[in-house]
Amino acid sequence: QVQLVQSGGGLVQTGGSLRLSCAASGRIFSLNTMGWYRQAPGKTRELVAAVTRGGTANYVDSVKGRFTISRDNVKKTVCLQMNSLKPEDTAVYYCNAQVSTGWGLPPRDYWGEGTQVTVSS
């Protein structure tokens, strides 16, 4: 199986910064796109940022210029640096990875346990 273990998050004031990290382990044959999603109360889960194995990143418009996603293919980690945080960034953040567990097997989604990010006004 594949495990995604998250760290980081917490409570910060408006304009502050936080860093989220996620480490993948287990039966990993191929680690493809990794990313971060978030879900605020009463809202659907949305993609915040994702990065391909080659390093191409994309972001939801609301975080462009404030958040930076990065990954280390050797360590099998992905991080999200969040700067200039706003109250509307408050949500539970989930790490996601598309992983193939064997030769010829299609990648499937795996998820971290989620971590709360709260931005106070």
Side-chain angles (χ1 to χ4, degrees), residues 4-81:
L4 299 181
V5 178
Q6 299 181 210
S7 60
L11 173 65
V12 67
Q13 292 185 329
T14 296
S17 297
L18 286 172
R19 184 176 179 86
L20 304 180
S21 297
C22 174
S25 63
R27 190 183 175 89
I28 299 173
F29 178 78
S30 176
L31 184 59
N32 299 326
T33 298
M34 302 182 77
W36 291 92
Y37 288 70
R38 67 186 178 187
Q39 187 166 18
K43 296 188 176 181
T44 57
R45 190 174 296 189
E46 68 168 351
L47 175 64
V48 177
V51 58
T52 66
R53 187 165 48 189
T56 300
N58 65 85
Y59 301 89
V60 66
D61 285 346
S62 60
V63 307
K64 286 180 179 178
R66 299 188 297 122
F67 290 12
T68 302
I69 190 170
S70 61
R71 68 184 282 171
D72 185 321
N73 290 332
V74 174
K75 296 181 179 179
K76 298 184 178 62
T77 58
V78 62
C79 296
L80 186 68
Q81 178 65 42

Side-chain angles (χ1 to χ4, degrees), residues 62-114:
S62 60
V63 307
K64 286 180 179 178
R66 299 188 297 122
F67 290 12
T68 302
I69 190 170
S70 61
R71 68 184 282 171
D72 185 321
N73 290 332
V74 174
K75 296 181 179 179
K76 298 184 178 62
T77 58
V78 62
C79 296
L80 186 68
Q81 178 65 42
M82 304 183 291
N83 298 328
S84 302
L85 282 160
K86 305 176 181 179
E88 50 264 44
D89 295 317
T90 295
V92 177
Y93 284 69
Y94 296 90
C95 175
N96 170 270
Q98 297 174 357
V99 180
S100 172
T101 56
W103 178 261
L105 295 179
R108 53 156 289 191
D109 283 317
Y110 289 87
W111 295 91
E113 71 274 22

